[in-house]
Amino acid sequence: MPKNNNISMSVIKRMPRYYRFLGKLKDDGIIRISSCELSKMMGFTASQIRQDLNCFGGFGQQGYGYNVEQLYDEIGNILGVNTALSVILVGAGNLGHAIASHMEFERRGFKLIGAFDENPALIGSKIKNTEIYSISTLEDFCTRNKPTVAIICVPTNPAAAIVEKLYNCGIKGFWNYSHYDILSAYPDVIVENVHLSDSLLTLSYQLKNANKD
Amino acid sequence: MPKNNNISMSVIKRMPRYYRFLGKLKDDGIIRISSCELSKMMGFTASQIRQDLNCFGGFGQQGYGYNVEQLYDEIGNILGVNTALSVILVGAGNLGHAIASHMEFERRGFKLIGAFDENPALIGSKIKNTEIYSISTLEDFCTRNKPTVAIICVPTNPAAAIVEKLYNCGIKGFWNYSHYDILSAYPDVIVENVHLSDSLLTLSYQLKNANKD
């Protein structure tokens, strides 16, 4: 499949949405779908859908539409759901614990291999099948197990020192729930930020300025 | 302050980030800052910063820069942090519980007034100071207390029926952690989606396709 390496971030950020909708169609037993039908479901224009999918080589056939299962599998491959990158959770408090329990890592290309916290009450307990270790053992664990990705669920203040250690241990990607700006300090890593409070403030703004009838 | 009502969603989505950085500067005792300095911290160009802030009426003075506290307060007002919209949590399991415990609602223009779950083990317990009620009392509670916003932390399947009830009770905004597509069904409400699995897939894609050295 031909692939364009200069795909814009906005296209990439739409891919998981395609994957989600196609997964649902597949579960519902739908065999094929046109870009027009997808468009109605997803709220993108049919032309945008065709353009987006063309960035990755195009999968549709004129007059036939897309084969749902094939497109789902191809997009899954593009997104890397079969890669099983090893990931650690740093900060196993309320939020970290909930995220690690809630996410189906295996279905999204990751494998959780360890969790870390400084709270003695948590150390030794488990999240799913993964043990929570003392944060003091973090570097030793990373040296031995070489995880690729870290989920940062610690407050902003300790985050800087922890990310520095992880970076020096060779962590390549961060799923960052803290407000520490990892990419400013380490431009050569991959960072996906989840700023829940930004999302809540965006909602607040929209509600305050709603013009909808 | 003059205000442009046609502000693009991309500008709006950057506002919480300004608010965060300015809050930190304010806490650090910084009195004023130029768009160039802000630019270095935030990774936007100085020109973009000036353009963004101009959308809301402009706060800077040529050759002086921005007054940090004033700009922080003005952006806070724009985002509606002083409005205290009432919000309920629907789904107080792992993720819902963590989100409600973790978020500082009051600092972001919201007040949590109730939480709901179907699990008898949770009903009657508290999240912060908010009681968890039986989901069977949801409509009655909404009729009496008229919350403006609901946080949807239930799985996708039950979400459709719950959102329908909430919509009929007059809920105006949804902070949606489920994969149910609220806006397709109810185009007249405000929805802010948090699709954690989409974020994780975006990270997976970027790691798999990393060209960084």
Side-chain angles (χ1 to χ4, degrees):
Chain A
M1 177 187 59
K3 205 182 67 180
N4 178 351
N5 277 321
N6 295 315
I7 296 161
S8 77
M9 202 58 208
S10 51
V11 177
I12 292 162
K13 284 199 177 284
R14 283 194 289 274
M15 280 292 131
R17 188 169 157 90
Y18 286 109
Y19 191 64
R20 237 185 320 117
F21 276 83
L22 289 163
K24 184 160 188 324
L25 288 169
K26 189 183 149 209
D27 290 349
D28 291 348
I30 311 293
I31 305 293
R32 65 190 197 187
I33 190 161
S34 69
S35 49
C36 284
E37 289 166 312
L38 255 184
S39 153
K40 275 177 209 146
M41 281 178 62
M42 298 186 60
F44 304 157
T45 65
S47 140
Q48 179 166 51
I49 288 172
R50 287 190 296 268
Q51 268 179 39
D52 282 353
L53 299 177
N54 271 337
C55 287
F56 295 97
F59 311 99
Q61 272 179 269
Q62 192 85 38
Y64 173 88
Y66 298 100
N67 177 308
V68 169
E69 186 164 356
Q70 189 191 346
L71 186 55
Y72 175 79
D73 289 344
E74 297 255 24
I75 293 180
N77 284 334
I78 289 167
L79 290 170
V81 298
N82 303 312
T83 40
L85 298 173
S86 56
V87 56
I88 56 171
L89 170 70
V90 185
N94 261 326
L95 188 65
H97 195 288
I99 287 160
S101 312
H102 179 77
M103 291 308 302
E104 296 172 289
F105 289 110
E106 292 74 12
R107 288 188 54 203
R108 291 175 175 97
F110 296 92
K111 182 176 168 31
L112 184 66
I113 62 168
F116 298 85
D117 206 282
E118 60 171 17
N119 180 352
L122 298 176
I123 296 164
S125 65
K126 288 197 169 189
I127 301 179
K128 286 179 180 169
N129 295 314
T130 307
E131 189 160 344
I132 302 176
Y133 304 104
S134 164
I135 191 94
S136 65
T137 66
L138 180 62
E139 284 164 293
D140 183 46
F141 181 94
C142 290
T143 308
R144 281 187 289 108
N145 297 286
K146 305 207 175 306
T148 308
V149 181
I151 307 171
I152 305 298
C153 279
V154 297
T156 305
N157 280 341
I162 288 170
V163 169
E164 185 184 7
K165 281 184 192 166
L166 292 169
Y167 178 81
N168 290 332
C169 290
I171 293 280
K172 301 281 181 250
F174 293 89
W175 201 24
N176 180 31
Y177 284 77
S178 85
H179 286 161
Y180 173 58
D181 192 348
I182 298 176
L183 213 50
S184 283
Y186 308 101
D188 57 340
V189 296
I190 306 284
V191 182
E192 177 71 15
N193 290 307
V194 181
H195 292 322
L196 298 178
S197 63
D198 286 14
S199 170
L200 190 59
L201 282 173
T202 305
L203 181 64
S204 170
Y205 174 87
Q206 293 177 274
L207 282 163
K208 202 183 156 195
N209 293 274
N211 293 317
K212 293 188 175 189
D213 303 315
Chain B
M1 177 189 55
K3 204 182 66 177
N4 178 349
N5 277 322
N6 295 315
I7 296 161
S8 77
M9 203 58 210
S10 52
V11 177
I12 293 162
K13 286 203 176 279
R14 283 195 289 274
M15 280 291 130
R17 189 169 157 92
Y18 286 109
Y19 190 64
R20 237 185 320 117
F21 276 83
L22 288 163
K24 183 158 189 324
L25 288 169
K26 188 184 151 209
D27 290 347
D28 291 348
I30 309 293
I31 305 293
R32 65 190 198 187
I33 190 160
S34 69
S35 49
C36 284
E37 289 166 310
L38 254 185
S39 153
K40 275 177 209 146
M41 281 178 62
M42 297 186 60
F44 303 157
T45 66
S47 141
Q48 179 166 51
I49 288 173
R50 287 191 296 267
Q51 268 178 38
D52 281 353
L53 299 178
N54 271 338
C55 288
F56 295 97
F59 311 100
Q61 271 179 270
Q62 192 83 39
Y64 173 88
Y66 297 100
N67 177 307
V68 170
E69 186 164 355
Q70 190 191 346
L71 186 54
Y72 175 80
D73 290 344
E74 297 254 24
I75 293 181
N77 284 334
I78 289 167
L79 290 171
V81 299
N82 303 313
T83 41
L85 298 174
S86 55
V87 57
I88 56 170
L89 170 70
V90 185
N94 261 327
L95 187 64
H97 195 288
I99 287 160
S101 312
H102 179 77
M103 291 309 302
E104 298 172 287
F105 289 110
E106 292 75 12
R107 288 188 53 206
R108 290 176 175 97
F110 296 91
K111 181 173 170 28
L112 184 67
I113 63 167
F116 298 85
D117 206 282
E118 59 171 16
N119 181 352
L122 297 175
I123 295 164
S125 66
K126 288 197 170 189
I127 300 178
K128 286 180 178 170
N129 295 315
T130 306
E131 189 160 344
I132 303 176
Y133 304 104
S134 164
I135 192 92
S136 66
T137 67
L138 180 63
E139 284 166 292
D140 183 48
F141 181 95
C142 290
T143 307
R144 280 187 291 108
N145 297 285
K146 305 208 176 305
T148 309
V149 182
I151 308 172
I152 305 298
C153 279
V154 295
T156 304
N157 279 342
I162 289 170
V163 169
E164 186 184 6
K165 281 183 192 167
L166 292 169
Y167 178 82
N168 290 333
C169 289
I171 293 280
K172 302 280 180 251
F174 292 89
W175 201 24
N176 181 30
Y177 284 77
S178 84
H179 286 162
Y180 174 58
D181 192 348
I182 298 176
L183 213 49
S184 284
Y186 307 100
D188 57 338
V189 296
I190 306 284
V191 181
E192 178 70 15
N193 291 307
V194 182
H195 291 322
L196 297 178
S197 63
D198 285 14
S199 171
L200 190 60
L201 282 172
T202 306
L203 181 64
S204 170
Y205 174 87
Q206 292 180 89
L207 283 162
K208 203 184 155 195
N209 293 275
N211 292 318
K212 292 188 174 187
D213 303 315

